[in-house]
Amino acid sequence: MKRYIPVFGLALAVIIIDQLVKLWVAHNMQLGEEIPIFDGWFKLHYTLNEGMAFGATFGGSYGKLLLTTFRIIAMGVIAYYLVHIVKKGMPRGLQLCVALILGGAVGNLIDSVFYGVWLNNAPLHAPMPWLYGQVVDMFYIDIWEGYVPEWMPLIGGDYMALWPIFNVADAAIFVGVAAILLFQKRFFKEDIHNQEQQQAAEQEQKA
């Protein structure tokens, strides 16, 4: 049982920090308000996101319901996978990365399920407040924002920011996924070794 405490403890820490920051922003800032942090390039900017991480959207009322349902299923799958890799004794680094992803997934799921009621922030077109809450985003890295030149395909003429507004949950998911991709050879060394041995055995049989 003790081996599960660090990883699920990390996931719980991400959830608690994420929710504390979101609730502080929601209760102490006006929607659209900005607070400069570091020379203006890093700000707190209170905004709401109907859709996915980093401000991406998932069209329509039923799209939001599907997204919330998907998040619930994904949370269960990630939690099951985390238990599996801990039980299997996979590298601790991989376990912590998956814990970050789980914590981030649960953090944004709480917004979607409850914030339409707790914060009354469900969109006007939402058929009900439950499951239609909007995710609270606040961290804004102001690298560049403005109008994209007309000659750019697809996005030409649009006003956009180079870096999306995100929250603690988004950051945890991003760090977890990025670290897995970066260190996948180390995390899955045994699997890669077994696969290489199997391929070598198959080549010998063909020879």
Side-chain angles (χ1 to χ4, degrees):
M1 192 65 181
K2 289 183 179 179
R3 56 184 174 176
Y4 295 101
I5 294 176
V7 289
F8 282 98
L10 176 60
L12 181 61
V14 169
I15 296 167
I16 292 172
I17 295 170
D18 176 66
Q19 289 300 306
L20 287 176
V21 173
K22 287 173 177 174
L23 292 173
W24 184 91
V25 168
H27 289 295
N28 292 277
M29 296 178 66
Q30 297 295 320
L31 192 62
E33 182 182 353
E34 284 190 353
I35 300 177
I37 304 297
F38 296 120
D39 296 327
W41 64 266
F42 181 73
K43 311 171 185 176
L44 288 182
H45 180 108
Y46 179 18
T47 187
L48 297 175
N49 170 17
E50 287 188 47
M52 297 174 284
F54 294 103
T57 56
F58 197 71
S61 298
Y62 291 104
K64 173 64 175 179
L65 182 59
L66 288 173
L67 178 61
T68 302
T69 304
F70 171 78
R71 280 177 169 154
I72 294 172
I73 296 172
M75 180 192 68
V77 172
I78 297 168
Y80 175 82
Y81 180 67
L82 182 56
V83 171
H84 170 73
I85 63 175
V86 172
K87 187 181 297 184
K88 192 178 176 182
M90 296 288 283
R92 179 51 61 90
L94 175 62
Q95 297 175 19
L96 296 177
C97 287
V98 177
L100 286 174
I101 296 170
L102 176 62
V106 175
N108 281 335
L109 176 64
I110 291 172
D111 296 32
S112 296
V113 174
F114 299 108
Y115 276 16
V117 177
W118 292 354
L119 300 181
N120 193 29
N121 73 0
L124 294 176
H125 58 78
M128 60 181 178
W130 294 104
L131 303 177
Y132 281 86
Q134 299 189 76
V135 175
V136 174
D137 290 334
M138 75 292 295
F139 297 128
Y140 179 29
I141 301 175
D142 191 3
I143 299 175
W144 177 87
E145 62 177 309
Y147 286 96
V148 181
E150 295 285 350
W151 54 265
M152 291 285 289
L154 301 178
I155 59 173
D158 291 344
Y159 186 88
M160 61 184 300
L162 186 61
W163 192 267
I165 303 173
F166 60 99
N167 56 43
V168 173
D170 296 334
I173 293 171
F174 177 81
V175 170
V177 172
I180 290 174
L181 293 175
L182 188 62
F183 300 107
Q184 57 181 311
K185 289 186 177 179
R186 181 182 302 175
F187 291 159
F188 301 101
K189 184 186 301 182
E190 184 177 343
D191 292 339
I192 294 173
H193 179 68
N194 291 338
Q195 186 177 3
E196 289 175 347
Q197 285 186 326
Q198 184 177 354
Q199 289 176 349
E202 289 175 354
Q203 290 177 352
E204 288 181 1
Q205 288 178 355
K206 291 179 180 180

